[in-house]
Amino acid sequence: MTSAPEAKSSQTRDLDALIVGAGFSGLYQLLCLRDRLGLSVQVLETAGGVGGTWYWNRYPGARCDSESHAYCYSFDEDLMREWQWSERYPQQPEIMRYLNHVVDRFDLKRDIRFNTRVASAHYDEAANRWHVRTEAGEEFSATFLITAVGCLSTANVPKIPGLESFAGDWYHTGQWPHDGVDFSGKRVGIVGTGSTGIQAIPVIAETAAHLTVFQRTANYSVPARNVPLTAEFRRWVRENTAEIRRTTRATPNGHPFLISERLARETPAGERQALYEAAWEKGGLQFRATFQDLLVDKEANDTAAAFIRGKIREIVKDPATAAKLADIDHPYAAKRPPIDTGYFESYNRGNVSLVDVRAAPIERITPEGIRTREGDYPLDIIVFATGFDAMNGPLLRMDIRGRNGVPLAEAWEAGPRNYLGLQVAGFPNLFTVTGPGSPSVLCNMPVAIEQHVEWITDCIAHLRARGLKRIEPKPEAVDRWVDQVNEAANATLLPLATHSWYLGANVPGKPRVFMPYAGGMVQYRAICADVAARGYEGFVLS
Ligand code: FAD
Ligand code: N01
């Protein structure tokens, strides 16, 4: 059965390509399709401005943990040279300034419509077009639909009974008010100790009267060692843009440093400890690169885990609090490893306390605060640093329907299934930038984003040059890719963090499937290039 053609109103705007989202991904996709291929393109964005993640995540302490000189676009060496970052890890406002600079420099704003949420996108087979409707009822039709909706853009507010009765104010870190929140003199509770909570806690503690941290899963963290960048370092960046770009493309995780070839397991204990100490002093995600085998060999990983637990016990003065913080149940870096500025030190302040909600779960929110199985915590403000319905969440909330009106939610009922993380069988001409099944969140994301956007651009150029109108993956290519994604994950320790958002485990009811491709960006890039070189092997072009 073929679906009835979509009713098309006279107001429908016809386009070559429609892009959803105006973060790092959507902006570069617009530039490529409009300026390199000459297509008619429109970007639709829920937010009131560009920036994606950095538009929404304005919580205290928000900054990136990729180093600034690699947390940026690298497609234009002049752009790389002219932008000067101020710190090793820029704060949210600086990243916003950077993205707005890119928008102005390439005149992107004129093709972006803000405050516009895409409510549905339905494929019309007879016309070979996507019909897109916004929440406000505007209609668009496009040959190509590109979702650049982000992996971490759907805030996950836990459904804790009684939240609506809370007499104070509550906030989710991923939907932070633009005019900030004044914590001074307030009793604040924060739920969540992922990367976000770990960044926000030390900063909120500086002004709150009291901060109560509700921890369900204890977490590793390594000092970020953020510093202002020296003139000398900035000059080095300006003079070495090509080299930086090469390095980010030579490593599995897209960061501007290489992973050591040494094995923790084969390094004598004293030497290993010295290497961990040096990495701890240097700070940042490079800690994970100290040894080659940390993410694939549990015994090797145990050495890093023991080192960090030791540091927690050294830093945190109260032994009972230190014990709760160090009681970590998963391998180091099996969840996204946070880096911090004074996180564990915060627990030495008189106005910060830790509540273990694994031992005594949150039962409800009362008008006065949070009630756990062990008692009541009166609060004026609750901060949910509880993460996101990650990766497939934003896609499933958009009512995407493919051939025969099949909803994406139905096609992905048991978890995401696609080819290369780029296309879904039965959904022709739909491309998903950093979709599940691609390295995305396991990589320094601008690197992953540029690769996806460029691959999609080349693919569309290929189709147009040959007068082809449609591309979609073969079901058997999807089956093979899903197997490859599972194999890549199972070759690492990542699935051992059973409550991780990589598996969808943070959202009740979500199928537990390891979503990102863990084979590394270098391998993934080669696979995608090979597929294209073989005439888009595994896809049907018509
Ligand atoms: P996003 O920036 O998420 O943009 C997607 C946009 O799509 C959003 O603006 C959203 O409003 C819009 N959208 C979604 N659905 C719809 C719809 N239906 N209709 C219209 N618009 C829609 N990555 C790193 O590599 N290094 C880091 O240091 C790092 N730090 C991070 C810090 C935080 C606090 C968070 C949350 C993430 C961080 N990330 C980091 C990941 C970050 O998401 C990516 O680096 C990058 O910003 C993603 O860009 P994007 O354009 O793909 O998605
Ligand atoms: O979210 P998370 P995040 N009751 O899902 C807890 C990127 N990022 O926003 O582990 C009690 O990691 C949950 O507990 P548990 C980065 O990729 C980057 O911190 O599910 N607790 C966990 O402790 C990162 O990984 C940067 O048991 C509940 C926390 O909330 C991703 O974004 C900065 C709960 C959520 O942790 C997401 O990070 C920030 C409940 N009902 C973010 N529900 C940098 O680059 C959830 N939790 C610096």
Side-chain angles (χ1 to χ4, degrees):
M1 188 190 84
T2 46
S3 53
E6 291 270 328
K8 190 176 147 186
S9 97
S10 56
Q11 300 301 312
T12 302
R13 191 162 157 227
D14 292 324
L15 301 157
D16 293 322
L18 189 133
I19 299 167
V20 191
F24 266 98
S25 301
L27 297 177
Y28 186 39
Q29 190 68 76
L30 168 60
L31 188 153
C32 287
L33 295 183
R34 189 192 69 182
D35 298 351
R36 293 190 193 155
L37 301 194
L39 306 193
S40 61
V41 190
Q42 176 73 58
V43 178
L44 302 180
E45 167 59 63
T46 307
V50 299
T53 288
W54 305 102
Y55 177 92
W56 297 107
N57 289 267
R58 297 168 187 247
Y59 58 84
R63 60 172 80 241
C64 63
D65 62 5
S66 295
E67 302 199 27
S68 53
H69 61 292
Y71 192 69
C72 52
Y73 294 113
S74 68
F75 63 83
D76 184 315
E77 283 202 19
D78 289 339
L79 173 65
M80 281 177 91
R81 266 190 289 271
E82 76 199 16
W83 184 263
Q84 308 244 348
W85 292 106
S86 70
E87 294 179 275
R88 185 173 175 190
Y89 313 98
Q91 294 197 54
Q92 175 270 339
E94 189 171 4
I95 304 171
M96 281 291 279
R97 281 199 297 281
Y98 168 72
L99 287 171
N100 277 289
H101 165 74
V102 173
V103 165
D104 292 343
R105 194 183 190 283
F106 296 99
D107 190 19
L108 298 178
K109 216 169 247 172
R110 65 186 155 92
D111 292 306
I112 308 174
R113 192 166 307 184
F114 298 113
N115 303 306
T116 306
R117 198 184 87 80
V118 171
S120 67
H122 296 177
Y123 178 65
D124 171 354
E125 175 144 38
N128 187 36
R129 291 187 77 74
W130 281 93
H131 293 290
V132 173
R133 207 174 292 237
T134 72
E135 213 164 40
E138 291 167 290
E139 292 179 12
F140 298 82
S141 130
T143 309
F144 299 104
L145 173 65
I146 297 122
T147 61
V149 291
C151 296
L152 299 161
S153 60
T154 304
N156 171 39
V157 179
K159 292 187 175 57
I160 303 175
L163 178 57
E164 67 295 339
S165 74
F166 183 54
D169 296 318
W170 67 266
Y171 307 93
H172 186 281
T173 50
Q175 297 173 330
W176 203 256
H178 286 202
D179 41 7
V181 176
D182 183 6
F183 294 104
S184 47
K186 298 284 201 295
R187 297 163 304 173
V188 182
I190 184 165
V191 183
T193 51
S195 299
T196 299
I198 282 176
Q199 279 189 329
I201 285 162
V203 186
I204 297 176
E206 282 169 17
T207 53
H210 191 88
L211 177 63
T212 309
V213 179
F214 295 87
Q215 169 188 279
R216 188 165 68 183
T217 304
N219 214 340
Y220 302 95
S221 186
V222 167
R225 310 261 184 237
N226 187 39
V227 282
L229 295 180
T230 59
E232 191 191 352
F233 184 81
R234 289 154 134 201
R235 190 169 51 250
W236 176 83
V237 170
R238 271 200 307 282
E239 289 169 2
N240 290 279
T241 50
E243 183 54 32
I244 293 166
R245 194 174 191 280
R246 253 195 308 280
T247 307
T248 59
R249 273 147 185 77
T251 68
N253 54 27
H255 285 284
F257 49 81
L258 299 177
I259 297 171
S260 164
E261 286 178 5
R262 300 186 68 149
L263 300 179
R265 200 197 250 275
E266 290 180 0
T267 306
E271 206 177 319
R272 198 169 53 213
Q273 192 73 1
L275 288 166
Y276 282 139
E277 280 293 352
W280 182 268
E281 282 315 308
K282 187 162 194 194
L285 290 174
Q286 289 195 42
F287 187 88
R288 191 178 42 178
T290 313
F291 295 106
Q292 180 76 225
D293 49 353
L294 291 186
L295 275 183
V296 291
D297 178 337
K298 177 71 169 53
E299 274 184 39
N301 190 287
D302 286 346
T303 65
F307 177 87
I308 300 175
R309 287 197 188 99
K311 286 288 181 192
I312 298 171
R313 288 190 208 98
E314 235 172 81
I315 297 168
V316 179
K317 297 206 172 83
D318 172 45
T321 304
K324 282 185 208 161
L325 290 166
D327 185 16
I328 308 173
D329 64 359
H330 52 278
Y332 166 65
K335 293 173 99 172
R336 176 69 145 66
I339 62 174
D340 70 275
T341 301
Y343 171 62
F344 293 116
E345 290 81 350
S346 301
Y347 294 95
N348 295 333
R349 297 175 66 108
N351 69 336
V352 176
S353 49
L354 180 67
V355 175
D356 179 355
V357 295
R358 167 79 49 92
I362 295 175
E363 285 189 334
R364 63 178 300 106
I365 292 176
T366 65
E368 292 78 32
I370 291 183
R371 176 172 300 161
T372 75
R373 208 165 61 199
E374 274 177 357
D376 282 304
Y377 297 86
L379 301 168
D380 303 307
I381 297 177
I382 301 175
V383 175
F384 290 105
T386 44
F388 303 88
D389 181 357
M391 306 214 65
N392 55 353
L395 293 167
L396 294 180
R397 286 172 197 226
M398 228 195 305
D399 185 19
I400 298 177
R401 294 176 192 224
R403 181 176 284 119
N404 301 332
V406 173
L408 184 64
E410 192 179 306
W412 283 6
E413 206 170 3
R417 296 182 63 78
N418 59 19
Y419 184 36
L420 303 175
L422 279 159
Q423 276 219 310
V424 186
F427 295 74
N429 292 352
L430 166 69
F431 294 95
T432 52
V433 183
T434 68
S438 76
S440 61
V441 293
L442 298 179
C443 185
N444 175 36
M445 285 208 71
V447 173
I449 287 168
E450 286 189 329
Q451 184 269 344
H452 255 201
V453 166
E454 286 162 10
W455 193 94
I456 292 166
T457 306
D458 290 348
C459 174
I460 292 177
H462 176 94
L463 295 175
R464 287 171 65 87
R466 286 159 185 76
L468 297 165
K469 303 271 186 265
R470 183 160 30 204
I471 179 165
E472 70 175 302
K474 295 178 184 165
E476 57 272 25
V478 170
D479 290 345
R480 274 198 307 273
W481 185 247
V482 169
D483 288 346
Q484 267 177 270
V485 172
N486 288 331
E487 278 162 28
N490 292 333
T492 71
L493 304 175
L494 297 172
L496 297 184
T498 50
H499 37 64
S500 142
W501 59 260
Y502 292 155
L503 281 156
N506 62 326
V507 177
K510 200 166 163 170
R512 296 212 177 180
V513 174
F514 192 88
M515 289 184 281
Y517 173 70
M521 198 59 212
V522 177
Q523 192 171 330
Y524 176 78
R525 187 188 295 278
I527 294 170
C528 291
D530 191 49
V531 163
R534 291 167 185 269
Y536 293 89
E537 191 176 54
F539 290 95
V540 181
L541 282 62
S542 56

